[in-house]
Amino acid sequence: MRYTQKDIRQKLGFTRDALRLYEKRGIIQPEIDPGNGYRYYDDWQMNLLWDCKYYQAMGFSLAEVQELLTTRTLGDIESQLARREDEMRHDLRRRELALSEHSRFMEELRSSESDLGVVEERDFAGCIYVVEREEHRLPADICTDAVAFANRNAALMKPYFWFPVAGERRYFWGSAMRLEAYRELGEECGREGVVELAPARTLSTVLDAGERGGFGADLFSGFVKCAVDDGYTITGPLHGLLLARTFDLAGYHRYVRAYLPIE
């Protein structure tokens, strides 16, 4: 039986462009009418397209699908399917962790308005921090492996800032993942370009960085001074996350949660 492109699109859901791509890659070889250029597909081509649909639904790339359709042994197919199964399980775990982290962030966001300007002791759970920018500049020696890890796991990362020395002006922006989530993920991010911020007792507050130019050491000077005046010893770098950006009649707002390790 012969099928037109319209038949294939209706029965299998492929687009015209997808069919042309499969043809270009040599996965299918339709009969082409020399008079009008129309393409016709037989039952064999239809079966190959069914296989394409199945394998791509499992997440295989087009190149991998082509390899699966031309592999020589059942053992080779089993090996590739087993590898994909492992990848799917890891992806599922990543999604489960992302959902858990999303719920945690929602709780943080709900309390941010009432916590604005309030300084309190809070236990910091620790995080893996990937350095991406010094202030607003991309460093020339940025670690691509660490950034690739952050991009791959963006659903588990939060925009994060880090002042290596509390009270000094130098700071960095990047992405952070809670230590617990990082350990559960089980994916190594390497050490270059990565800072591990250890669990600690901290002073914490929410501040509004406001318009462009409002973020910097001056935003946190009162917070740091409050810690010193109250008799705390600062034991580590100032760091924290961007909670949200909003815009209203009063202007632009950037809410950040800051942590200052103390004893």
Side-chain angles (χ1 to χ4, degrees), residues 17-250:
D17 288 342
L19 291 172
R20 291 295 179 91
L21 184 58
Y22 294 144
E23 181 182 340
K24 184 178 180 180
R25 296 295 293 264
I27 295 175
I28 56 173
Q29 296 175 337
E31 175 189 345
I32 303 176
D33 188 319
N36 54 28
Y38 289 175
R39 284 161 167 76
Y40 297 96
Y41 306 83
D42 59 19
D43 290 327
W44 180 259
Q45 309 293 323
M46 175 73 86
N47 289 334
L48 286 174
L49 288 168
W50 270 109
D51 289 345
C52 289
K53 183 176 181 179
Y54 167 70
Y55 286 134
Q56 287 200 289
M58 290 185 63
F60 286 104
S61 68
L62 188 57
E64 290 170 330
V65 170
Q66 187 172 18
E67 185 178 349
L68 282 162
L69 292 176
T70 57
T71 194
R72 295 185 176 182
T73 69
L74 292 176
D76 291 339
I77 292 178
E78 181 182 358
S79 176
Q80 292 189 62
L81 291 178
R83 176 183 57 79
R84 181 57 191 146
E85 181 179 0
D86 289 341
E87 292 172 352
M88 291 170 70
R89 292 187 186 281
H90 188 67
D91 289 344
L92 178 60
R93 184 59 188 140
R94 183 185 284 116
R95 287 178 179 273
E96 290 173 340
L97 283 171
L99 179 59
S100 176
E101 293 304 293
H102 178 75
S103 297
R104 288 176 179 273
F105 184 70
M106 288 296 293
E107 292 179 9
E108 182 77 68
L109 197 61
R110 290 188 189 102
S111 66
S112 60
E113 190 170 6
S114 60
D115 289 347
L116 189 63
V118 176
V119 178
E120 61 179 354
E121 288 194 17
R122 178 180 282 209
D123 289 330
F124 173 68
C127 70
I128 290 292
Y129 173 61
V130 177
V131 180
E132 297 173 355
R133 291 179 289 156
E134 181 170 356
E135 297 185 11
H136 301 291
R137 300 181 299 275
L138 289 173
D141 59 346
I142 190 169
C143 179
T144 55
D145 289 343
V147 172
F149 170 86
N151 292 337
R152 190 167 58 250
N153 296 288
L156 297 172
M157 313 293 289
K158 294 292 181 290
Y160 216 82
F161 60 87
W162 173 55
F163 288 78
V165 180
E168 294 193 2
R169 308 198 72 81
R170 191 181 187 211
Y171 69 89
F172 297 83
W173 276 102
S175 303
M177 180 188 299
R178 287 191 319 111
L179 271 179
E180 183 180 349
Y182 174 67
R183 289 166 181 159
E184 288 189 41
L185 180 65
E187 182 179 331
E188 182 60 46
C189 70
R191 308 308 326 164
E192 186 179 354
V194 176
V195 177
E196 181 173 328
L197 298 171
R201 175 188 174 210
T202 71
L203 285 183
S204 182
T205 190
V206 174
L207 296 171
D208 180 3
E211 300 280 354
R212 179 180 297 186
F215 186 91
D218 292 343
L219 176 66
F220 302 99
S221 60
F223 174 49
V224 174
K225 184 177 184 300
C226 175
V228 174
D229 290 348
D230 287 349
Y232 291 103
T233 299
I234 298 173
T235 60
L238 172 69
H239 55 86
L241 72 156
L242 174 67
L243 292 170
R245 304 171 189 263
T246 64
F247 184 82
D248 58 22
L249 293 176

